[in-house]
């Protein structure tokens, strides 16, 4: 993933999404082959993680485009907050599904 010092390009985001699509195609093949549930879930988790990272890159790119006067520390704080937001969002969704 891009560091706070690097500019995130559309190409980088597209590359990550294409990789995620390839992983998802692999999951579908695994299901067609009748692979064990555990194996499929591990790969689905990898796809989810990859897409979460792509979402973070899209948001980080937007933040970098919108706010020019931020210090490196400010950007790191925003990235940390974004990590927490994504973790909380998915934890909340998962908790609601279990209830």
């Amino acid at each position: 993933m891009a560091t706070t010092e690097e500019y995130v390009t559309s190409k980088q985001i597209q590359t990550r999404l294409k990789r995620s699509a390839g992983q998802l195609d692999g999951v579908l093949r695994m299901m067609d082959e009748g692979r064990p549930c555990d194996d499929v879930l591990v790969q689905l988790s990898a796809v989810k993680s990859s897409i979460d990272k792509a979402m973070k890159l899209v948001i980080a790119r937007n933040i970098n485009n919108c706010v020019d006067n931020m210090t490196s520390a400010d950007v790191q704080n925003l990235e940390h907050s974004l990590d927490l937001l994504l973790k909380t969002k998915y934890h909340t969704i998962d908790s609601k599904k279990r209830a």
Side-chain angles (χ1 to χ4, degrees):
M1 187 181 104
T3 66
T4 56
E5 312 304 324
E6 297 173 351
Y7 178 74
V8 179
T9 65
S10 289
K11 180 83 171 153
Q12 289 171 308
I13 296 167
Q14 289 173 352
T15 298
R16 179 169 295 278
L17 290 173
K18 287 176 183 177
R19 188 177 313 126
S20 297
Q23 289 175 311
L24 193 53
D25 287 341
V27 170
L28 292 170
R29 279 191 303 277
M30 290 173 71
M31 293 179 73
D32 287 342
E33 296 167 358
R35 298 280 295 273
C37 178
D38 292 356
D39 293 346
V40 172
L41 289 175
V42 166
Q43 291 306 311
L44 281 173
S45 178
V47 172
K48 180 180 177 249
S49 176
S50 181
I51 291 181
D52 286 348
K53 289 175 186 174
M55 290 171 58
K56 182 180 175 186
L57 288 175
V58 169
I59 294 168
R61 181 173 182 223
N62 184 60
I63 290 169
N64 285 331
N65 287 341
C66 294
V67 185
D68 291 332
N69 297 324
M70 291 180 67
T71 66
S72 179
D74 290 336
V75 172
Q76 288 176 346
N77 287 334
L78 279 173
E79 287 179 347
H80 177 71
S81 295
L82 180 57
D83 284 338
L84 292 175
L85 175 67
L86 287 174
K87 288 177 185 174
T88 302
K89 176 185 173 206
Y90 289 109
H91 177 71
T92 303
I93 290 170
D94 289 343
S95 296
K96 286 181 183 178
K97 287 181 181 177
R98 290 184 196 135

